[in-house]
Amino acid sequence: MGRGWRGRGGYQQTEVPPADDAAAWFAGRLPDGWFTEAPQVTVDREEILLVGELPALDADFEDEAARGAAESGRISRFREETRDERIEIARQAEHRYQRKVSWGARLGGTQELFTTVSAPVMTRLRQPERLVLDTLVDSGVARSRSEALAWAVRLVGEHADSWLGELRDAMSKVDDLRSKGPDLG
């Protein structure tokens, strides 16, 4: 398979089908009662990440640490009890969307992701950018340049959410216009 233009984001080895309807597909496919509301579905070129809110805990806890431990335990129970069904749903979605499916659950102040994809990304950096990564490694913030780059990307993502959202909206509008083409009539 050759390289093809993917629109947003440049070149990729193969074309993947659109996943614009993934949230709706999962809403129809997931068993009733798994989550208290429609799960958050995030899609990129390699992965569909589905994170759902679990039913609240009824018990009272002596402190936040105990509550956090109970939330983590409930998420762990959900993960074990739904494993076979999640695998089957993921298999169907992976066939439909040609992307890996990852899962997560949220309960109160606790969120845990499981079976997530870590996709390699290659980049070329000039010396000033490499020096930034090396400083992060030398200071112990990261163990490698790769980990330092991932840390930097997470940091930018946390502090630029609204700007990135506006950028994604603008790109979506450009894609819509591009798909319509000019009116030559």
Side-chain angles (χ1 to χ4, degrees):
M1 294 187 185
R3 293 172 90 73
W5 176 252
R6 286 275 305 134
R8 293 187 285 193
Y11 286 86
Q12 182 170 312
Q13 286 294 67
T14 59
E15 292 290 325
V16 292
D20 301 340
D21 65 344
W25 186 85
F26 280 105
R29 178 60 184 88
L30 292 176
D32 295 335
W34 269 16
F35 303 121
T36 59
E37 57 191 39
Q40 176 186 356
V41 177
T42 308
V43 178
D44 71 6
R45 295 179 191 136
E46 291 84 23
E47 176 181 31
I48 298 173
L49 174 61
L50 185 134
V51 179
E53 182 77 30
L54 298 179
L57 298 171
D58 293 332
D60 290 326
F61 299 94
E62 61 188 59
D63 59 23
E64 287 304 309
R67 175 170 287 286
E71 290 170 352
S72 184
R74 176 68 58 88
I75 291 171
S76 180
R77 183 175 86 189
F78 169 80
R79 182 179 185 185
E80 291 303 316
E81 289 177 352
T82 62
R83 183 181 311 274
D84 291 339
E85 235 175 327
R86 283 186 299 103
I87 289 170
E88 178 58 24
I89 293 167
R91 188 189 63 72
Q92 293 170 7
E94 287 168 5
H95 177 75
R96 179 182 178 102
Y97 298 112
Q98 296 179 13
R99 294 167 174 85
K100 288 293 181 189
V101 173
S102 299
W103 298 87
R106 189 174 41 255
L107 178 56
T110 305
Q111 177 174 298
E112 294 183 17
L113 304 179
F114 20 101
T115 63
T116 58
V117 173
S118 290
V121 177
M122 201 219 36
T123 186
R124 297 183 191 280
L125 299 175
R126 299 201 184 279
Q127 188 177 42
E129 292 91 8
R130 293 192 312 266
L131 288 171
V132 170
L133 298 181
D134 291 342
T135 299
L136 294 170
V137 172
D138 293 344
S139 67
V141 171
R143 292 179 298 210
S144 65
R145 282 180 168 177
S146 175
E147 190 176 283
L149 186 56
W151 179 86
V153 169
R154 277 192 306 273
L155 187 65
V156 168
E158 289 171 10
H159 294 286
D161 263 348
S162 63
W163 180 80
L164 289 171
E166 290 176 31
L167 186 59
R168 287 185 188 106
D169 289 343
M171 291 183 328
S172 176
K173 290 175 185 168
V174 169
D175 284 347
D176 290 345
L177 289 171
R178 189 179 292 141
S179 69
K180 290 177 186 174
D183 183 10
L184 301 174

